[in-house]
């Protein structure tokens, strides 16, 4: 359904460091960058998430968050730990979320610009 999503960020270097850590833990990498944007994905020049430098950027309001698929629970743990080291704020430590399902394992963060993000795997293994 989605081709990509873009987040406006006020400090591209800071947000780039945050998303390098968070996305790297989930198996994604920078697939392009220029003075005003950084793209993350799996293949060069095919971004799935794009950070756009916008000095007036504001995160969406209450109720919005972006959930990224993790390949396993260890990646969810790594996503959370790595992003906290580079300026992320904890919004829910890694763990099972029984309210969302028997196997829903997730971690929640707030990025330097206030975007709420999650890494999740929803399988028994």
């Amino acid at each position: 359904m989605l081709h990509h999503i873009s987040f406006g960020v006020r400090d591209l270097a800071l947000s780039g460091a945050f998303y390098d850590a968070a996305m790297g833990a989930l198996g994604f990498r920078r697939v392009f960058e220029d003075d005003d944007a950084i793209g993350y994905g799996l293949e060069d020049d095919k971004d799935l998430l794009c950070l756009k430098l916008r000095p007036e950027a504001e995160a969406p309001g209450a109720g919005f968050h972006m959930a990224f698929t993790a390949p396993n629970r260890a990646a969810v743990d790594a996503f959370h730990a790595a992003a906290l080291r580079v300026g992320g704020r904890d919004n829910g430590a890694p763990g099972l979320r029984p309210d969302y399902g028997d196997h829903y394992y997730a971690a929640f963060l707030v990025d330097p610009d206030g975007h709420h993000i999650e890494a999740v795997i929803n399988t028994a293994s």
Side-chain angles (χ1 to χ4, degrees):
M1 175 195 278
L2 300 176
H3 183 272
H4 73 277
I5 190 147
S6 297
F7 283 174
V9 300
R10 294 181 300 270
D11 183 330
L12 192 59
L14 176 62
S15 292
F18 174 87
Y19 281 96
D20 285 350
M23 296 294 96
L26 300 178
F28 299 101
R29 63 179 176 83
R30 285 188 189 201
V31 295
F32 84 84
E33 62 184 300
D34 60 31
D35 292 341
D36 297 315
I38 299 171
Y40 293 89
L42 299 170
E43 299 178 48
D44 289 344
D45 298 318
K46 294 183 179 179
D47 60 304
L48 302 171
L49 171 67
C50 187
L51 307 178
K52 303 265 188 171
L53 180 60
R54 300 288 187 267
E56 70 286 356
E58 292 184 25
F64 176 88
H65 83 275
M66 179 66 56
F68 299 99
T69 299
N72 52 52
R73 290 180 180 186
V76 172
D77 297 344
F79 160 89
H80 190 261
L84 287 177
R85 286 193 295 270
V86 291
R89 292 190 328 255
D90 177 47
N91 200 29
L96 287 168
R97 301 297 194 275
D99 289 349
Y100 302 148
D102 292 341
H103 306 294
Y104 199 102
Y105 189 89
F108 300 85
L109 294 162
V110 180
D111 80 4
D113 287 283
H115 297 103
H116 289 235
I117 64 171
E118 170 188 0
V120 58
I121 184 165
N122 193 13
T123 64
S125 55

